[in-house]
Amino acid sequence: MQIRKQAANIESLKNTEKQKLAVILRKLLNKTYIVREISQGDYIFCRNNFEIISSIVELFDFTLKHDPDNEIIYIRNTSLYDDEQGTKLNRKRITKRDFLIYAALVSVWYDNIDVFAINTSINVSLEDVLNKMTEEDLLEEKIPKTGIKESLNFFSKYNLLKYKETENKEIIITLYPSLVHCLQEEELREYIETIKEGALTETKEEKDEA
């Protein structure tokens, strides 16, 4: 009965709306997050057709979520199954470098965001992020600029941020609220401590071998 109802809802859409629906579904599967500040039209369409989109993504073991305060709509995987590499279907394996940069970005976000602010992006400099990595003891070795750009491009792909390079070669990063939806702050701290403990163990083993 529920499937028939949703099929009827889809059929009730105009042809242009059906085409828009197909575009939105591809964006959700490819980018995970739809942020109003990035694409107001996409966000409004998702919000207005939330029930229809939710019923479709559920067929692929996703749940559709809405953060109305920060005006973000995104999907989460509900499947118990992994792909051939053992990764959840909507999750990406990231490098240690990517994670450490992500951890610094989130820390900078929490340092700068007004606790009463909603639907707010933040502009920070790359220097702010590198200083945070030093402060949090996350910078094990100097990361080349090309490596930093690769990480920023990766996060940008999922609508977590955007960045630009000024005429004087300074990198300015715009952080979106979607950034902090990837991991809760407690989870992030737990992962950081795990990485640090692993680094200490590696250092001890190297000294023992020497």
Side-chain angles (χ1 to χ4, degrees):
M1 181 66 71
Q2 187 68 19
I3 294 177
R4 289 181 180 179
K5 178 184 176 182
Q6 296 307 330
N9 288 337
I10 294 173
E11 283 302 314
S12 68
L13 296 175
K14 299 176 182 177
N15 286 335
T16 54
E17 292 175 323
K18 291 177 182 177
Q19 292 171 2
K20 180 69 172 179
L21 176 62
V23 170
I24 290 297
L25 290 170
R26 283 196 295 271
K27 286 187 176 181
L28 282 169
L29 292 172
N30 291 329
K31 293 181 174 293
T32 303
Y33 298 93
I34 289 181
V35 183
R36 180 166 189 163
E37 186 173 344
I38 298 175
S39 180
Q40 179 170 298
D42 290 346
Y43 173 83
I44 292 175
F45 183 89
C46 282
R47 186 190 62 191
N48 293 344
N49 296 278
F50 191 87
E51 186 177 348
I52 293 176
I53 297 172
S54 180
S55 67
I56 295 174
V57 298
E58 283 176 1
L59 298 174
F60 301 94
D61 292 326
F62 291 104
T63 182
L64 189 66
K65 293 184 174 292
H66 183 200
D67 177 354
D69 290 336
N70 288 305
E71 298 185 318
I72 300 168
I73 294 175
Y74 57 102
I75 55 173
R76 280 285 181 268
N77 188 280
T78 57
S79 174
L80 297 176
Y81 302 101
D82 301 336
D83 64 13
E84 294 178 356
Q85 286 72 43
T87 305
K88 292 298 181 186
L89 298 181
N90 74 322
R91 298 182 182 179
K92 297 294 181 182
R93 289 186 180 275
I94 64 173
T95 65
K96 183 177 181 180
R97 179 199 68 203
D98 289 339
F99 177 78
L100 294 177
I101 291 175
Y102 171 79
L105 289 167
V106 173
S107 294
V108 169
W109 167 275
Y110 281 118
D111 285 348
N112 287 274
I113 190 67
D114 184 333
V115 293
F116 298 106
I118 59 175
N119 187 28
T120 304
S121 60
I122 298 173
N123 290 322
V124 300
S125 68
L126 176 59
E127 184 177 0
D128 293 329
V129 178
L130 294 178
N131 287 341
K132 175 58 66 173
M133 294 184 77
T134 301
E135 178 186 324
E136 298 279 353
D137 196 25
L138 299 173
L139 195 60
E140 297 177 351
E141 57 186 25
K142 185 176 180 180
I143 303 175
K145 200 169 186 178
T146 53
I148 292 172
K149 285 185 175 180
E150 286 175 2
S151 295
L152 295 179
N153 285 331
F154 176 78
F155 298 133
S156 176
K157 178 181 177 182
Y158 297 98
N159 287 341
L160 305 181
L161 58 79
K162 71 176 181 180
Y163 75 95
K164 64 180 180 180
E165 193 166 359
T166 64
E167 292 181 357
N168 59 359
K169 303 301 182 182
E170 182 183 14
I171 293 180
I172 302 298
I173 309 167
T174 299
L175 306 178
Y176 296 116
S178 49
L179 181 76
V180 296
H181 276 271
C182 296
L183 285 175
Q184 297 297 320
E185 191 172 8
E186 297 78 12
E187 290 180 298
L188 181 65
R189 291 296 169 191
E190 182 180 336
Y191 282 125
I192 290 174
E193 290 306 315
T194 300
I195 286 177
K196 286 182 178 179
E197 289 174 7
L200 289 174
T201 301
E202 289 174 4
T203 301
K204 182 178 182 303
E205 289 175 350
E206 288 174 0
K207 287 183 178 179
D208 291 342
E209 290 176 1

